[in-house]
């Protein structure tokens, strides 16, 4: 018998085409004098990384978290605090501070997940939201780290032999990390772990009665997503050379959730599609409309009603 | 030897006794049917055996382990497999992937993040075999959501079989089936008999009397009679309490 692949041959090459475009993007933008947009493209990829990590929870595992920004902010503050306290030492090396940001995101997710994952539905949504807001207020009141003003970084993290301070270089580093993350997520989705997550989303009770320790699988997914969000936060702090409590505000969690729904729940490219669409619309619409958020709302409604599988779903049969 | 041994099981909902000092056993290879009118406590009993509800008192011993306080997934890992009265499958998976997922539950760790499931031929060979045994082999590639009711019931049973059970807990497998599908399900369960210990909860009396080695009658949370089909048919208490509402063949 033949195994279903879910992919038609013609579509198998477009990720490579997209990667080629991404590799050439800084040169293309340079040719037209749009160098500013290199950082904008970097921002899209960082938000896509964050949205993809949330998509693992919401889209694949059915865990609607409204507190995902907590891990994003925690990762950003990890890099910023390391730079503030131990500036000029190896602590500002990306080789140390970025993995540490992932570790902080993972540990925080392990703690929050161990509690919130015991609840379901609306209670899960509200408890994740509550934890993220707690963290938001903690950093809001931490005067030594800028409080509500946030905190500036004097420079980006360092890498041996690579100047992350150059926007184009930083773009390529983020591109590489995002590509690896997407590869891992794609493999995970088709591996046993991904099937279990999708099974839990479909029918948690049945998974339990088949012998799956549902809670453990959810917690591991939550920790993985937390680590990935922590990395996204570290990158965003680097990109802006600035971190603030707003990075972990529930509005940020909401924006990422909208990106996931817009891009396509449970779809590998959903995070990228959603992040790119949202940020591009935010960038373009204000030029034409003073009250552009209304149009953004209409577009979101249109996607929900006419393309319920999201933007990434449109390209799939 | 008993595969399942329940003794002194008790469950109260407030002041209401739903499981009343209940004893019940299923021997290896035996098909033990449990019947009883609505409200007798069948559902509550199944919930306690499968682990979704904790009893207030008593013991449940399964395959030599006391599992009274175990969570549902650990019981399943030990070989206690159940089907659901209301079909409980994975609608977004194909029929084949439904069964493959169930097999995955008892064949090694599922904390694997890299190797695609599709590359695990052993998993899919076992799944195809289960599909053949449950008469679903022609439907493997169909989305599970698109099946008819009779086929859903077959898939429900296929999932229960896929976990290499020692004991099958079948919760009204004929629920909602027409005469023809019902007949097919009875034949299916007949073929499973003696391969597994089976506890069958069922309303379809014809099926019960045809399949069961032993029948127990549950009434207000306690077993009021237990024995062969003949013994149950002729038991005056049972007739009065339960079978009176339905003439039996």
């Amino acid at each position: 018998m033949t195994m279903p692949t879910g992919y038609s041959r013609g579509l198998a090459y477009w990720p490579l085409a997209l990667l080629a475009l991404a590799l050439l993007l800084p040169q293309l933008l340079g040719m037209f004098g749009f160098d500013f947009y290199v950082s904008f493209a970097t921002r899209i990829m960082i938000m896509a990384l964050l949205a993809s990590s949330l998509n693992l929870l919401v889209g694949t595992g059915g865990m609607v978290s409204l507190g995902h920004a907590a891990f994003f902010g925690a990762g950003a503050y990890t890099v910023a605090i390391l730079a503030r306290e131990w500036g000029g030492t190896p602590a500002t090396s990306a080789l140390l501070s970025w993995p540490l940001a992932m570790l902080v995101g993972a540990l925080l997710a392990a703690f929050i997940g161990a509690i919130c994952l015991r609840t379901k539905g609306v209670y899960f949504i509200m408890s994740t939201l509550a934890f993220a807001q707690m963290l938001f207020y903690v950093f809001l009141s931490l005067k030594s780290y800028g409080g509500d003003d946030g905190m500036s970084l004097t420079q980006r993290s360092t890498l041996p032999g690579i100047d992350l301070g150059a926007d184009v270089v930083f773009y390529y580093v983020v591109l590489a990390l995002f590509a690896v993350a997407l590869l891992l997520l794609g493999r995970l989705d088709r591996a046993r772990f991904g099937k279990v997550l999708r099974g839990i989303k479909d029918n948690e009770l049945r998974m339990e009665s088949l012998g799956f320790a549902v809670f453990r699988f959810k917690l591991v997914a939550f920790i993985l997503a937390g680590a990935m969000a922590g990395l996204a936060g570290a990158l965003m702090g680097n990109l802006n050379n600035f971190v603030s409590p707003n990075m972990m505000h529930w509005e940020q969690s909401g924006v990422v959730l909208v990106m996931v729904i817009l891009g396509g729940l449970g779809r590998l490219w959903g995070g990228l599609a959603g992040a790119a669409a949202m940020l591009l619309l935010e960038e373009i619409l204000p030029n034409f409309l003073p009250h552009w958020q209304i149009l953004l709302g209409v577009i979101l409604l249109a996607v929900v009603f006419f393309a319920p599988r999201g933007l990434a779903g449109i390209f799939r049969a | 030897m008993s595969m399942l041994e329940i003794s002194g099981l008790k469950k109260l909902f407030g002041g209401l006794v739903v499981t009343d000092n209940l004893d019940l056993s299923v021997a290896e290879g035996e098909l033990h049917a449990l019947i009883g009118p609505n409200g007798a406590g069948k559902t509550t009993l199944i919930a306690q055996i499968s682990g979704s509800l904790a009893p207030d008192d008593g013991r449940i011993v399964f395959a030599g382990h006391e599992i009274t306080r175990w969570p549902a997934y650990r019981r399943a890992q030990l070989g206690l497999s159940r089907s659901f009265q209301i079909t409980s499958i994975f609608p977004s998976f194909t029929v084949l992937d439904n069964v493959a997922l169930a097999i995955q539950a008892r064949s090694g760790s599922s904390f694997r993040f890299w190797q695609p499931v599709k590359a695990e031929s052993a998993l899919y060979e076992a799944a195809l075999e289960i599909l053949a045994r449950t008469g679903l082999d022609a439907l493997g590639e169909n989305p599970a959501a698109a099946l008819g009711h009779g086929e859903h019931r077959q898939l429900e049973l296929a999932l229960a079989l896929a976990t290499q059970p020692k004991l099958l807990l079948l919760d009204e497998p004929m629920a909602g089936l027409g005469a023809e599908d019902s007949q097919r399900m009875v034949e299916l369960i007949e073929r499973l008999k003696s391969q597994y210990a089976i506890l069958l909860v069922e309303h379809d009396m014809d099926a019960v009397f045809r399949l069961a080695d032993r029948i127990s009658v549950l009434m207000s949370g306690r077993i009021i009679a237990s024995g062969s089909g003949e013994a149950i048919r002729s038991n005056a208490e049972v007739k009065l309490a339960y079978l009176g509402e339905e003439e039996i063949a």
Side-chain angles (χ1 to χ4, degrees):
Chain A
M1 64 159 287
T2 56
M3 295 299 173
T5 60
Y7 297 91
S8 66
R9 291 256 171 246
L11 286 173
Y13 295 103
W14 70 262
L16 287 177
L18 199 62
L19 182 63
L21 177 69
L23 285 170
L24 292 173
L25 191 69
Q27 282 70 41
L28 291 173
L29 289 173
M31 266 158 47
F32 298 101
F34 289 142
D35 300 276
F36 160 77
Y37 284 101
V38 171
S39 284
F40 181 67
T42 309
R43 180 183 312 279
I44 288 179
M45 286 192 294
I46 295 171
M47 289 312 287
L49 181 64
L50 179 62
S52 299
S53 72
L54 181 62
N55 208 354
L56 176 69
L57 296 182
V58 184
T60 311
M63 294 165 264
V64 183
S65 164
L66 200 48
H68 207 56
F71 315 123
F72 184 61
Y77 268 94
T78 302
V79 169
I81 291 172
L82 281 175
R84 165 73 58 96
E85 300 292 341
W86 294 280
T89 71
T92 54
S93 165
L95 294 178
L96 186 85
S97 60
W98 295 3
L100 211 59
M102 293 178 74
L103 185 68
V104 168
L107 289 176
L108 190 63
F111 174 72
I112 294 178
I115 295 167
C116 295
L117 288 170
R118 295 179 195 281
T119 66
K120 292 196 171 62
V122 173
Y123 300 100
F124 179 74
I125 297 176
M126 295 319 281
S127 57
T128 51
L129 174 74
F131 272 108
Q133 282 301 91
M134 275 189 255
L135 203 67
F136 166 75
Y137 284 112
V138 165
F139 279 94
L140 202 65
S141 58
L142 271 181
K143 293 290 175 242
S144 52
Y145 294 126
D148 58 351
D149 291 331
M151 178 167 46
S152 290
L153 286 75
T154 48
Q155 61 165 34
R156 288 193 179 140
S157 303
T158 55
L159 266 182
I162 298 174
D163 177 20
L164 291 178
D167 286 340
V168 173
V169 174
F170 189 66
Y171 168 89
Y172 281 116
V173 169
V174 171
L175 174 61
L177 288 172
F178 179 60
V180 169
L182 220 51
L183 175 72
L184 292 176
L185 285 172
R187 294 293 300 211
L188 180 154
D189 191 28
R190 272 170 262 168
R192 281 187 169 213
F193 188 76
K195 297 294 173 197
V196 171
L197 284 187
R198 287 183 183 273
I200 291 171
K201 185 188 182 189
D202 250 26
N203 191 343
E204 188 169 338
L205 183 67
R206 184 57 162 192
M207 289 298 280
E208 196 89 40
S209 76
L210 286 176
F212 288 106
V214 166
F215 177 78
R216 278 182 222 164
F217 286 95
K218 284 175 148 184
L219 186 59
V220 169
F222 209 74
I223 292 169
L224 288 176
M228 205 176 272
L231 177 62
L235 295 176
M236 191 59 96
N238 264 281
L239 176 70
N240 299 334
N241 269 328
F242 178 71
V243 300
S244 89
N246 286 332
M247 291 178 82
M248 46 187 99
H249 193 256
W250 71 271
E251 211 176 292
Q252 177 73 61
S253 295
V255 167
V256 186
L257 193 57
V258 169
M259 285 177 179
V260 171
I261 294 165
L262 182 67
L265 282 166
R267 295 190 166 266
L268 183 58
W269 298 90
L272 178 62
M278 274 283 276
L279 291 178
L280 282 169
L281 286 174
E282 271 180 18
E283 186 72 17
I284 297 166
L285 289 182
N287 297 329
F288 306 101
L289 287 164
H291 303 293
W292 55 277
Q293 284 96 340
I294 295 175
L295 193 57
L296 186 64
V298 172
I299 291 171
L300 282 177
L301 279 176
V303 167
V304 169
F305 279 105
F306 300 111
R309 295 193 297 174
L311 295 173
I314 293 173
F315 300 104
R316 284 288 152 83
Chain B
M1 182 203 141
S2 269
M3 185 57 76
L4 181 71
E5 186 80 55
I6 299 170
S7 48
L9 202 68
K10 197 170 252 176
K11 182 73 193 176
L12 294 114
F13 288 145
L16 185 69
V17 185
V18 283
T19 306
D20 190 3
N21 214 4
L22 182 142
D23 299 328
L24 184 81
S25 72
V26 183
E28 228 170 89
E30 181 191 30
L31 196 154
H32 191 159
L34 187 68
I35 62 174
N38 287 326
K42 297 191 296 288
T43 308
T44 323
L45 178 59
I46 288 171
Q48 290 171 85
I49 298 173
S50 60
S52 49
L53 195 64
D56 294 324
D57 201 5
R59 274 162 56 91
I60 303 174
V61 177
F62 169 64
H65 294 78
E66 194 194 325
I67 60 164
T68 318
R69 303 284 157 200
W70 285 24
Y73 76 87
R74 277 192 69 197
R75 298 174 195 221
Q77 284 171 356
L78 195 61
L80 199 163
S81 181
R82 70 167 295 186
S83 75
F84 287 80
Q85 182 185 351
I86 296 161
T87 301
S88 179
I89 55 167
F90 304 101
S92 77
F93 286 52
T94 67
V95 172
L96 182 63
D97 283 337
N98 260 270
V99 179
L101 183 63
I103 291 172
Q104 196 182 311
R106 295 240 6 234
S107 62
S109 169
S110 280
F111 286 102
R112 295 189 200 163
F113 303 87
W114 185 256
Q115 176 81 8
V117 174
K118 294 284 180 199
E120 292 191 49
S121 50
L123 211 61
Y124 278 87
E125 275 159 30
L128 287 171
E129 194 214 309
I130 296 282
L131 289 187
R133 280 171 71 192
T134 47
L136 288 166
D137 31 352
L139 299 168
E141 297 305 324
N142 290 42
L147 298 186
H149 181 67
E151 293 153 353
H152 268 154
R153 300 308 291 163
Q154 280 166 266
L155 180 56
E156 179 69 43
L157 189 59
L159 289 182
L161 286 178
T163 58
Q164 304 164 34
K166 294 192 185 93
L167 175 91
L168 281 171
L169 190 56
L170 302 181
D171 190 0
E172 299 199 24
M174 327 284 173
L177 291 184
E180 200 177 310
D181 286 336
S182 235
Q183 181 61 27
R184 192 179 309 148
M185 187 58 80
V186 168
E187 284 163 13
L188 193 55
I189 296 173
E190 214 153 35
R191 284 200 295 276
L192 300 176
K193 262 188 76 167
S194 76
Q195 296 179 46
Y196 306 98
I198 299 176
L199 182 63
L200 171 70
V201 176
E202 186 50 65
H203 272 303
D204 183 333
M205 286 304 146
D206 291 338
V208 166
F209 281 109
R210 182 167 157 194
L211 290 167
D213 299 314
R214 187 149 58 117
I215 300 175
S216 289
V217 184
L218 189 67
M219 188 70 197
S220 309
R222 57 193 320 156
I223 305 283
I224 58 163
S226 189
S228 67
E230 275 313 308
I232 295 299
R233 271 204 186 95
S234 54
N235 184 306
E237 200 183 350
V238 174
K239 274 187 186 163
L240 190 69
Y242 174 52
L243 296 174
E245 35 178 279
E246 188 184 344
E247 205 53 49
I248 48 167

